[in-house]
Amino acid sequence: MAPPHSEVDLVPVSDVNAIIVPDPLTVNGITSRRAKGLKLPGTIAALSSSDSYKSMKTKGKPLAKRWDHILSPESASREPSHLKDAAKYLKTPGIISLGGGLPSSQYFPLDSIDIKIPDVGKFSEADIQTSGVHASTGKYDVSRGIGDYDLSIAMNYGQGMGGPPMIRFVTEHTELVHHPPYEDWGCSMTVGNSSALDMAYRMFTQRGDFFLTEEYTFVSAVDTATPMGLRAIGVRMDPEGLLPSDMDDIMTNWDVSVRGSSKPRLLYTVPSGQNPTGATQSFERRKELYKVAQKHDLYILEDEPYYFLQMQPYTGQDTPSVPPPASHEEFLACLVPSLLSLDTDGRVMRMDSFSKIIAPGMRTGWITASKQIVERFVRHNESSIQSPAGLSQVVLHKILDESWGHGGFLDWLLHLRMQYTARRDAILGACEKHLPTECVSWITPMAGMFLWMEIDYHKHPQASTQSLKQIEDTLFHAAVGSGVLVLPGSWFRADKDEAKSNRMFWRATFAAAASEQMDEAMRRFGAAVREVFGLNAKSEAA
């Protein structure tokens, strides 16, 4: 069946700014809408939904497909929590609750918290020291009429979808950035993408199932799946990431008698700055991937922790840099459109995280999917994590909503773009300076925090008598002995069968080390490669 008609037109022009959205939501539009909209509920464990915070621009679009045929028996059998549902009565005026086991806030040993955060546009650590803004919240701010969220609410039990302030913010942000092309989408808060992925596996798979992913993939994606009895099928990649043609070939030629299981129903992919390869799928690649998913009725898990770490084009070490985007509109237009923005069927669960754009210790993120899938996800939340950590939510609310607003958040994301561009450029300069290009090659990452290097192991003097694994192990220990940690690509293979490995890759990250440290690290790694491969030492003047 052809996908339903959408208001979104796909225009084959370039990788960015290629989706035309009629009258899109804007930062100013969010501010105006809030002034006319619903007041946030100021009660403990208040129920909330994205439907309360989406603009009228979402109305009239097609509805998502139903996914009953893909949901696992575990997910389909989950019932709503009576205890969570009973919380809706707490907002009844004058009610005295002897129902839920909510502890009294008078026994929470915190009266207030105070944080110092960057003022908008002054994001460096030095700026925070001199011009940082203090944001505080007390235990009873809401009842005193001085805030939307306080410690008496945030630190008590909450709903599985998260607190209303954060649901409102991520819903508005999702519409602002992605404009999902169907009507009944929504968001739920998570405790990070690793937890969300664990729940997604439980929702869409059963023991013995296969799922598709990149041939080199996020280690935890496989480590989480394996104890569940799930098996990963690696889809071949090129510099733009996963190859839809190979995915189509795998699905078209699937032989149940050989595989011992039915066709996969699930694709897990990291489209932007993929971990570990750093590959970013172009807009055309994402459209091709989505068409193959439609053809074979695959459900897509779009894991996008690095989406806002898309970087400026690399111009080389001795040429002027590309100027940063001059406005919020230009910044959003620079981003490769997401799979969610193409999702006319509602077959994508997008997983976003604050781990890479605020701090991993927040353990907070959100998913976006069709209303049916969000409702099932919340049922899983209710009986596992209960709700995302209230302290993290109230801190994020203070930073993102009360202090920065959507415009300030976009300014912060643009700041990160430029910071990661500088880091990426530094490690590329170090590679060009120190690595022996006769056997080492790399591809410029356009997003994320990883550099993926290939070493031609056939140029090792004992390549005919030693295995790839032996040479890899020797180089790994030589590098560690030289004082640098770079990870072997084999650690990230979806399929751990060594017999299928015929290329040697290495992953380096440029997320944390200073530029001087990256230069020294690559000098050490280059020296280890030359030692192990018997190459002449490179003079610093060369």
Side-chain angles (χ1 to χ4, degrees):
M1 180 184 297
H5 174 70
S6 167
E7 291 184 356
V8 173
D9 296 319
L10 303 184
V11 183
V13 290
S14 66
D15 285 351
V16 296
N17 201 24
I19 293 184
I20 298 174
V21 180
D23 190 23
L25 184 67
T26 64
V27 171
N28 289 337
I30 291 172
T31 303
S32 173
R33 186 174 170 277
R34 280 196 183 185
K36 306 172 186 176
L38 296 173
K39 181 178 173 59
L40 286 171
T43 55
I44 296 171
L47 289 164
S48 188
S49 165
S50 290
D51 287 342
S52 299
Y53 310 117
K54 295 191 298 188
S55 76
M56 293 301 295
K57 301 175 191 296
T58 63
K59 302 299 182 182
K61 294 181 179 181
L63 298 178
K65 291 178 62 175
R66 296 282 302 179
W67 301 101
D68 306 83
H69 63 293
I70 287 180
L71 288 172
S72 68
E74 175 187 346
S75 182
S77 63
R78 289 189 181 273
E79 297 290 338
S81 166
H82 294 301
L83 295 177
K84 297 288 187 185
D85 187 58
K88 66 187 178 185
Y89 298 108
L90 294 177
K91 65 181 180 181
T92 304
I95 197 167
I96 299 174
S97 175
L98 301 179
L102 304 175
S104 171
S105 57
Q106 67 180 302
Y107 303 123
F108 300 164
L110 285 178
D111 182 70
S112 65
I113 58 171
D114 181 86
I115 57 176
K116 189 177 182 181
I117 61 177
D119 197 3
V120 174
K122 300 177 181 179
F123 294 124
S124 72
E125 285 192 330
D127 285 333
I128 299 174
Q129 294 297 318
T130 58
S131 61
V133 178
H134 286 270
S136 63
T137 184
K139 188 180 286 188
Y140 302 111
D141 285 358
V142 173
S143 61
R144 293 170 180 164
I146 55 176
D148 294 324
Y149 209 21
D150 63 26
L151 296 181
S152 72
I153 296 171
M155 296 189 68
N156 218 311
Y157 286 110
Q159 293 291 341
M161 76 286 294
M166 285 307 299
I167 285 292
R168 180 179 69 176
F169 188 87
V170 300
T171 298
E172 293 168 341
H173 173 82
T174 297
E175 185 177 350
L176 177 68
V177 176
H178 304 289
H179 315 288
Y182 62 96
E183 181 176 327
D184 53 333
W185 60 273
C187 300
S188 171
M189 302 304 297
T190 72
V191 295
N193 287 10
S194 293
S195 171
L197 179 59
D198 177 277
M199 293 187 195
Y201 284 153
R202 295 181 181 279
M203 288 171 63
F204 296 112
T205 64
Q206 302 178 59
R207 182 168 290 274
D209 283 353
F210 286 91
F211 68 97
L212 300 178
T213 187
E214 289 91 349
E215 61 179 327
Y216 293 92
T217 191
F218 177 42
V219 170
S220 290
V222 176
D223 290 348
T224 300
T226 300
M228 296 182 185
L230 308 179
R231 293 168 286 180
I233 296 290
V235 180
R236 290 191 302 111
M237 305 175 70
D238 69 4
E240 286 189 20
L242 181 150
L243 286 165
S245 58
D246 192 55
M247 185 169 74
D248 185 36
D249 184 64
I250 291 170
M251 296 297 290
T252 300
N253 297 298
W254 190 269
D255 189 334
V256 175
S257 64
V258 173
R259 299 284 191 177
S261 180
S262 57
K263 283 185 179 182
R265 297 175 292 179
L266 195 66
L267 166 67
Y268 169 78
T269 183
V270 182
S272 307
Q274 196 257 357
N275 183 2
T277 68
T280 295
Q281 297 170 12
S282 67
F283 182 48
E284 288 298 323
R285 177 63 57 86
R286 296 179 200 218
K287 288 194 293 183
E288 292 168 9
L289 183 157
Y290 191 81
K291 288 178 182 177
V292 173
Q294 286 182 313
K295 176 181 177 181
H296 296 286
D297 201 24
L298 283 163
Y299 194 87
I300 302 171
L301 301 180
E302 180 185 21
D303 189 359
E304 279 285 33
Y306 313 106
Y307 185 75
F308 289 106
L309 301 186
Q310 295 182 48
M311 294 170 280
Q312 299 288 91
Y314 181 59
T315 57
Q317 295 299 303
D318 301 315
T319 55
S321 299
V322 176
S327 66
H328 295 149
E329 291 76 18
E330 283 190 23
F331 170 56
L332 293 176
C334 285
L335 303 174
V336 181
S338 63
L339 289 169
L340 176 63
S341 70
L342 298 172
D343 186 19
T344 53
D345 296 343
R347 68 171 64 250
V348 174
M349 176 193 285
R350 179 181 170 88
M351 297 180 287
D352 280 282
S353 173
F354 289 111
S355 292
K356 305 303 188 294
I357 56 176
I358 297 293
M362 287 291 182
R363 301 316 311 143
T364 310
W366 73 98
I367 60 126
T368 306
S370 66
K371 189 172 185 178
Q372 178 195 17
I373 298 304
V374 169
E375 186 272 338
R376 290 290 88 195
F377 187 89
V378 171
R379 298 290 84 81
H380 282 256
N381 267 358
E382 288 173 344
S383 58
S384 55
I385 66 166
Q386 288 283 328
S387 64
L391 198 56
S392 291
Q393 290 190 76
V394 77
V395 169
L396 286 168
H397 174 66
K398 285 291 176 180
I399 298 172
L400 302 177
D401 209 338
E402 288 194 2
S403 299
W404 290 352
H406 284 283
F409 185 40
L410 293 180
D411 289 338
W412 169 253
L413 295 174
L414 175 54
H415 169 74
L416 291 182
R417 176 188 180 94
M418 302 310 297
Q419 291 294 306
Y420 273 86
T421 296
R423 288 182 167 278
R424 186 270 319 268
D425 291 356
I427 200 169
L428 290 176
C431 290
E432 293 168 7
K433 182 178 178 182
H434 296 300
L435 297 186
T437 54
E438 58 266 43
C439 66
V440 185
S441 60
W442 57 89
I443 296 172
T444 299
M446 295 309 298
M449 51 179 62
F450 303 113
L451 177 71
W452 191 239
M453 299 172 286
E454 181 172 8
I455 297 181
D456 186 353
Y457 80 96
H458 296 97
K459 294 185 178 179
H460 189 277
Q462 278 81 49
S464 61
T465 58
Q466 292 187 11
S467 68
L468 184 155
K469 184 67 167 60
Q470 288 173 315
I471 297 171
E472 181 185 77
D473 286 345
T474 300
L475 179 54
F476 175 73
H477 290 291
V480 171
S482 297
V484 59
L485 183 63
V486 181
L487 301 187
S490 62
W491 292 8
F492 302 91
R493 283 190 61 85
D495 186 337
K496 300 301 183 182
D497 186 351
E498 291 182 15
K500 295 181 180 179
S501 301
N502 58 8
R503 299 172 73 181
M504 181 188 291
F505 294 101
W506 295 81
R507 192 196 79 171
T509 179
F510 47 89
S515 58
E516 297 82 6
Q517 291 177 310
M518 286 190 279
D519 185 80
E520 175 61 17
M522 281 303 167
R523 187 195 67 76
R524 295 176 184 182
F525 187 59
V529 173
R530 289 184 174 87
E531 176 190 345
V532 171
F533 278 71
L535 303 175
N536 293 328
K538 174 179 178 284
S539 67
E540 289 301 316

